[in-house]
């Protein structure tokens, strides 16, 4: 069982930056693929970014490629999402997810554990 806790969300002006963090419990964090998803009001949850257990493989949604960077520090059991050049369309609840099979995925079904989410609001 893995527990995930997101932090770092908040209010930022368009063009600004935020860094989200996701702290995980457990001793096998490095074996988990980690992903970030987001959900805006009235919309389905969508894939944002994912990283493999060792950090070798990274994938991004086209909408955030070049602006967001996913990374992890396995010594701290933490995954990060650096969000730059934010725009109002990035406003959503952001969720951290862990997949015990260790393979990065773009769908919710690839992941086994989820955090409760952190709100990101980008004002114009």
């Amino acid at each position: 069982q893995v527990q995930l806790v997101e932090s770092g969300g908040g209010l930022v002006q368009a063009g600004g930056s935020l860094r989200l963090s996701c702290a995980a419990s457990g001793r096998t964090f490095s074996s988990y693929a980690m992903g970030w998803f987001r959900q805006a009001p009235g919309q389905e949850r969508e894939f944002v970014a994912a990283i493999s257990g060792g950090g070798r493989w990274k994938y991004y949604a086209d909408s955030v490629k070049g602006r967001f960077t996913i990374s992890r520090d396995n010594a701290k059991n933490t995954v990060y999402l650096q969000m730059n050049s934010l725009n109002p369309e990035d406003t959503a609840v952001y969720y951290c997810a862990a997949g015990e099979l260790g393979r990065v995925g773009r769908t919710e079904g690839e992941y086994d554990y989820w955090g409760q989410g952190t709100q990101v609001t980008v004002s114009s």
Side-chain angles (χ1 to χ4, degrees):
Q1 186 68 229
V2 175
Q3 293 184 333
L4 306 172
V5 180
E6 301 98 333
S7 62
L11 176 65
V12 64
Q13 291 184 322
S17 298
L18 285 173
R19 189 178 75 160
L20 305 183
S21 298
C22 175
S25 65
R27 282 175 26 89
T28 57
F29 177 75
S30 63
S31 68
Y32 301 144
M34 300 296 296
W36 287 97
F37 293 76
R38 67 186 183 185
Q39 187 170 24
Q43 300 185 25
E44 298 294 318
R45 186 147 52 188
E46 66 175 351
F47 169 77
V48 176
I51 186 169
S52 60
R56 180 177 181 181
W57 308 108
K58 299 177 181 179
Y59 298 98
Y60 299 93
D62 289 342
S63 60
V64 307
K65 193 171 298 182
R67 299 188 298 121
F68 292 9
T69 302
I70 189 170
S71 62
R72 66 192 298 159
D73 186 341
N74 287 342
K76 296 181 178 179
N77 276 24
T78 302
V79 64
Y80 305 96
L81 185 68
Q82 179 66 46
M83 309 164 67
N84 299 327
S85 301
L86 287 163
N87 58 65
E89 288 69 42
D90 296 314
T91 295
V93 177
Y94 284 71
Y95 297 90
C96 175
E100 62 183 19
L101 294 181
R103 295 185 296 183
V104 294
R106 304 173 187 270
T107 64
E108 295 180 58
E110 306 279 1
Y111 298 90
D112 305 289
Y113 309 102
W114 295 81
Q116 290 190 308
T118 185
Q119 177 71 48
V120 172
T121 302
V122 184
S123 65
S124 59

